[in-house]
Amino acid sequence: MWLSVSLAGAATFTASLDKDTITLGESATLSLTFAGATPQGVPSLPAIAGLQVSYIGPSTQVSFINGQTSTTVTHNFAVTPTQDGEFTIPALQAEVAGEKLTTQALKLKVLKPGAPPPQAIASGQQLAFLKLVLPKKEVYVGELMTGQIELYLHERIRNIGGFQITAFPADGFTVGQWKEGQQRREQIGNSVYTVIPLSFPVRAIKTGSFNIGPVTASLVADLPSANRPRDLIEQFMFGGVERKPLSLATDAEPMKSLPLPAQGVPPGFNGAVGEYTMNVTAGPTNVSSGDPITVKVAISGRGALDSITLPDQPAWHEFKTFPPTSKVEMTDALGTQGVKTFEQIIVPENAEIKELPPISFSYFDPEQKDYRTLTQPAIRLVVKPGGSTPAPVMATAPRTAPENAPPAQDIVHIKPRLGQLAQIGPPLVERHWFLALQSVPLLAFVSSLVLRKRAEMLANNPRLRRQRQVAQLVHEGLHKMRALAAGKKSEEFFAALFRLLQEQLGERLDLPASSITEAVVDEHLRKGAVSEKTLTALQEIFQACNLARYAPVQSSQELVAMIPKFEDLLRELQRMKA
Amino acid sequence: MNLATKEYKEHKAGVVLALAAILLALCPSRVMADDLSAAFQSANKLYEENKFAEAASAYQKLVESGKASSALYFNLGNALFKAGQIGRAIVAYREAEQLAPRDPDVRANLQFARNQAQGPTLPPSRWHHWLGRLTINEWTMLASGTIWAWLMLLAVLQWRPAWKQAMRGWVAGLAGAAGLFCLCLAASLYESHAEKTVIVVARDVIVRHGPLDESQTSFTAQDGAELRVLDQKDEWLEVSDGGSRLGWLRRDKVVAAPGV
């Protein structure tokens, strides 16, 4: 209902171009706008000779004005000319809700791109211009050369931004990524220009006559403002510069791409064009038949290294060959020079092979305008009849196959005996018991090391050694004393007791055991080295020993009762600081 | 006298009983070995009668019994090869190679089968070839033996320091050998466990750019091609021929290769 009202009101269909004049290589945008109505689909455009039209997409705008809604739908198309001239986009018709709407016809002027005339350049008044520099006018198909675009910027240009090459027509050639070179300054007329060279690789892919360019580019140049800034804020924000978009173009350069000569094509030539050298290595050279040999072929030089392939080597028929692997290492930023290394595994199939046959690589040298063949001399090989060399009669022949056995024609026959059976299971290294067993030598070594260290420590510490000897002596002596007490051998009991006391005191006081007497003890222990209680107990023991010499104790219980007292005393003495 | 005779008789009876127990314990394995040997001969007979597929399945049943020998895998490989299954034959030969890595017959037939495999395949690596001269267990025993000898020598030298000067070369040599053998063992285990290789067991297997039946063809692998596994997804494996070719193929078209 609303649509019908709207249509009845003011449905319009208009066409517009964002630019009516463009340079060949640029594009214009054609907008078809439906106001007050929504079309059913995308309107179709008729084919226009010299123009390529591609759909970009729609955009919709809805607006409310005084409570009324209006809708505008715009379909955008990119219009790219393929030639220069003046073109007319005819009036277009569209049917919206049964009503036929028509646009007006549009005109588009396409200018031929080109460099400014030489006089303009020579005057030094040109703000910026481009030059296309190609080293040759004639190349061979497959030949790689380095071209250059030189961007000249007048000294008035303070800075540039948004530089982009908008078109680089190069039919019959492939153009690689450009790299910026070293800037230089050049005087033209009375002006000084900054020259920025942009180098790029170009490779001929078709034969015939072609044009490279005109190359077009756009940039925004910062120029000193013609008007003085009104205030400091404007000076700060805009810096007193004026931004000027510039479109630049070079002239087209005619190029001739020649076919490779049909005469003198070497056998094995597979299309490599450039200047190359070759280096071949192979190893190992002493092998058994069936063992792999790695052949490395390094082709270095200038040309399209990426597309080089290792030619077939018909002389390798006695080897099993595997597909080669390759890697390219470029030595310049443009990728026109470098080394391509092929690594190929070959397997000698019999022991008669004495050498790796010569390896050849042919290429066309565009500078010399002739084919060249690089040949690596044969590499001497020693091929032994290895275990993996199949022999036709191996099933019946003894293991020692004759030297130079011919290649196998069939597999070795089946084995008549089952042989030694093995349980299918994990390898030893994954079995727990085996891993545990490996700790045995380690434990043996660690134990030996600890024991030796301990022995060394004792050997270097006589006091510690004596301490341990006395401890052992006391331990054994107490056992002996218990036996003597049980046997009522009073005299031997006290002799043993006195000797143990001498040993323990001698060790503590660092004196010979035989020198320990009651007087010595008094002299050394009175100084507060032991408690009064210990000293008293010690005196009692000494007195008991003295008494026993003249009045031996007869009772076993009395002797046994002395042992704990003696043990307590020994403990006290052992606690005493040595 | 009577008492001594009785003791002697009791001792003799004990020995007899112990021997009987050992024999009884050994008997089942002896019987089993005899059975396997008989089944092996039957499979050999099928092979000699040119019934290669039947022979292959007879050998396969023996393998599935849990015990195997190099000869069994070798003959299985031969039967499979003659039956036209190059990929499966290569798998069997590689199993045989694991048990008897220096058997010239096994190496010859494995090489012969590999030569018959067409198309892209992993190139033989010298490192793999060199490690494969010994089984993992043999590398293990070498590494373990040298470590034992080295540590025991060090233990002895703790108590015989006078020998240290004379044995210095032995200590260094054994340490070096132990380190080298341990490295070889580690490399062997790495090749066996980490480096997954599969062998194509079907003809004209399409290797695709992606793990989908709709994906574009990358290359075609032939029966017997050995490929390295890079990744896996559901029923698909990403494989490479060791060079520039890689792609995805279905798991059911390949068999995992035995390790070194």
Side-chain angles (χ1 to χ4, degrees), chain B residues 208-216 232-238 247-250:
Chain B
R208 300 181 183 279
H209 283 304
L212 295 167
D213 285 322
E214 294 77 18
S215 297
Q216 297 261 311
Q232 53 185 322
K233 187 181 177 192
D234 303 330
E235 290 306 305
W236 294 82
L237 296 174
E238 188 183 22
W248 295 80
L249 50 66
R250 285 194 165 274

Side-chain angles (χ1 to χ4, degrees), chain B residues 80-94:
Chain B
L80 288 167
F81 183 85
K82 290 284 186 183
Q85 299 182 41
I86 298 174
R88 290 188 191 280
I90 290 174
V91 175
Y93 289 138
R94 284 187 63 168

Side-chain angles (χ1 to χ4, degrees), chain B residues 90-126:
Chain B
I90 290 174
V91 175
Y93 289 138
R94 284 187 63 168
E95 292 280 9
E97 192 188 32
Q98 281 209 298
L99 295 170
R102 294 171 299 284
D103 184 330
D105 294 347
V106 173
R107 291 172 79 97
N109 280 9
L110 177 58
Q111 187 61 39
F112 192 89
R114 279 175 167 161
N115 287 344
Q116 307 308 308
Q118 303 295 316
T121 188
L122 276 176
S125 98
R126 279 200 299 276

Side-chain angles (χ1 to χ4, degrees), chain A residues 225-473:
Chain A
S225 178
N227 305 316
R228 290 177 68 121
R230 282 172 293 185
D231 50 35
L232 277 174
I233 295 173
E234 193 174 306
Q235 170 79 30
F236 175 75
M237 288 181 72
F238 303 107
V241 295
E242 184 185 326
R243 296 202 147 176
K244 186 172 183 181
L246 297 173
S247 290
L248 311 174
T250 68
D251 283 328
E253 293 289 334
M255 289 291 297
K256 197 168 181 186
S257 181
L258 305 169
L260 299 181
Q263 301 292 319
V265 180
F269 173 72
N270 60 3
V273 178
E275 290 175 69
Y276 302 107
T277 56
M278 181 173 70
N279 182 37
V280 179
T281 56
T285 53
N286 191 338
V287 292
S288 300
S289 63
D291 284 351
I293 298 171
T294 305
V295 181
K296 284 186 183 172
V297 181
I299 294 171
S300 52
R302 180 185 168 79
L305 284 164
D306 271 339
S307 59
I308 288 180
T309 56
L310 194 63
D312 289 335
Q313 302 294 332
W316 286 2
H317 61 271
E318 286 186 302
F319 296 83
K320 183 175 171 62
T321 58
F322 293 87
T325 58
S326 66
K327 64 173 180 181
V328 180
E329 288 169 23
M330 289 302 179
T331 52
D332 69 340
L334 291 173
T336 58
Q337 292 186 58
V339 185
K340 185 161 190 175
T341 308
F342 296 93
E343 214 172 284
Q344 179 151 28
I345 305 285
I346 60 168
V347 178
E349 294 192 314
N350 62 66
E352 288 178 355
I353 297 168
K354 302 293 177 208
E355 62 180 26
L356 180 68
I359 296 171
S360 296
F361 171 70
S362 299
Y363 65 96
F364 180 75
D365 185 342
E367 298 300 324
Q368 302 298 323
K369 301 185 178 180
D370 200 3
Y371 291 97
R372 299 263 181 258
T373 298
L374 304 171
T375 304
Q376 174 75 24
I379 297 172
R380 178 111 185 101
L381 294 179
V382 177
V383 182
K384 291 171 282 189
S388 54
T389 307
V393 289
M394 203 174 267
T396 51
R399 288 283 182 269
T400 50
E403 194 86 11
N404 303 331
Q409 301 299 315
D410 197 3
I411 53 173
V412 181
H413 199 62
I414 56 168
K415 291 185 187 285
R417 291 189 181 81
L418 185 56
Q420 194 179 358
L421 285 167
Q423 189 74 38
I424 300 170
L428 277 176
V429 74
E430 288 175 15
R431 297 188 189 188
H432 296 305
W433 66 264
F434 183 80
L435 293 174
L437 195 63
Q438 303 315 303
S439 62
V440 172
L442 186 66
L443 286 174
F445 167 64
V446 171
S447 309
S448 302
L449 186 70
V450 169
L451 290 172
R452 183 182 63 81
K453 289 277 180 197
R454 201 176 138 165
E456 274 178 8
M457 193 174 68
L458 283 175
N460 295 332
N461 191 343
R463 288 212 66 177
L464 182 63
R465 192 167 67 244
R466 189 179 178 191
Q467 188 185 354
R468 297 203 172 173
Q469 282 171 348
V470 168
Q472 182 67 24
L473 207 63

Side-chain angles (χ1 to χ4, degrees), chain A residues 43-329:
Chain A
S44 58
L45 274 81
I48 305 163
L51 293 182
Q52 280 182 350
V53 181
S54 55
Y55 184 56
I56 298 171
S59 63
T60 306
Q61 190 180 353
V62 180
S63 55
F64 296 88
I65 300 167
N66 296 330
Q68 286 203 324
T69 308
S70 64
T71 307
T72 306
V73 178
T74 305
H75 291 279
N76 297 307
F77 296 82
V79 181
T80 310
T82 55
Q83 60 190 65
D84 56 311
E86 204 166 296
F87 299 90
T88 302
I89 298 169
L92 302 171
Q93 278 198 337
E95 192 172 320
V96 181
E99 188 183 355
K100 278 194 174 174
L101 301 172
T102 308
T103 67
Q104 70 283 18
L106 297 171
K107 289 210 179 295
L108 178 66
K109 196 173 176 184
V110 179
L111 301 174
K112 194 175 178 179
Q119 318 75 287
I121 292 174
S123 69
Q125 296 305 308
Q126 211 52 38
L127 262 183
F129 60 92
L130 284 179
K131 260 190 194 176
L132 176 61
V133 183
L134 295 171
K136 299 178 176 182
K137 297 286 180 195
E138 277 189 356
V139 291
Y140 283 94
V141 68
E143 184 179 346
L144 189 68
M145 63 175 181
T146 305
Q148 208 170 64
I149 296 168
E150 292 180 337
L151 171 61
Y152 284 73
L153 300 170
H154 195 277
E155 58 191 337
R156 284 178 57 216
I157 296 177
R158 289 186 183 176
N159 199 8
I160 61 163
F163 176 82
Q164 59 175 354
I165 291 175
T166 50
F168 202 139
D171 187 28
F173 291 85
T174 57
V175 179
Q177 283 287 312
W178 53 266
K179 303 276 177 208
E180 189 177 323
Q182 189 72 39
Q183 294 182 8
R184 63 175 198 275
R185 292 174 80 78
E186 199 174 298
Q187 179 152 7
I188 300 173
N190 292 325
S191 304
V192 176
Y193 283 81
T194 301
V195 185
I196 304 172
L198 307 170
S199 300
F200 54 89
V202 188
R203 187 176 175 223
I205 53 169
K206 282 197 280 189
T207 56
S209 294
F210 303 99
N211 280 336
I212 295 185
V215 181
T216 57
S218 63
L219 59 91
V220 179
D222 291 347
L223 298 165
S225 178
N227 305 316
R228 290 177 68 121
R230 282 172 293 185
D231 50 35
L232 277 174
I233 295 173
E234 193 174 306
Q235 170 79 30
F236 175 75
M237 288 181 72
F238 303 107
V241 295
E242 184 185 326
R243 296 202 147 176
K244 186 172 183 181
L246 297 173
S247 290
L248 311 174
T250 68
D251 283 328
E253 293 289 334
M255 289 291 297
K256 197 168 181 186
S257 181
L258 305 169
L260 299 181
Q263 301 292 319
V265 180
F269 173 72
N270 60 3
V273 178
E275 290 175 69
Y276 302 107
T277 56
M278 181 173 70
N279 182 37
V280 179
T281 56
T285 53
N286 191 338
V287 292
S288 300
S289 63
D291 284 351
I293 298 171
T294 305
V295 181
K296 284 186 183 172
V297 181
I299 294 171
S300 52
R302 180 185 168 79
L305 284 164
D306 271 339
S307 59
I308 288 180
T309 56
L310 194 63
D312 289 335
Q313 302 294 332
W316 286 2
H317 61 271
E318 286 186 302
F319 296 83
K320 183 175 171 62
T321 58
F322 293 87
T325 58
S326 66
K327 64 173 180 181
V328 180
E329 288 169 23

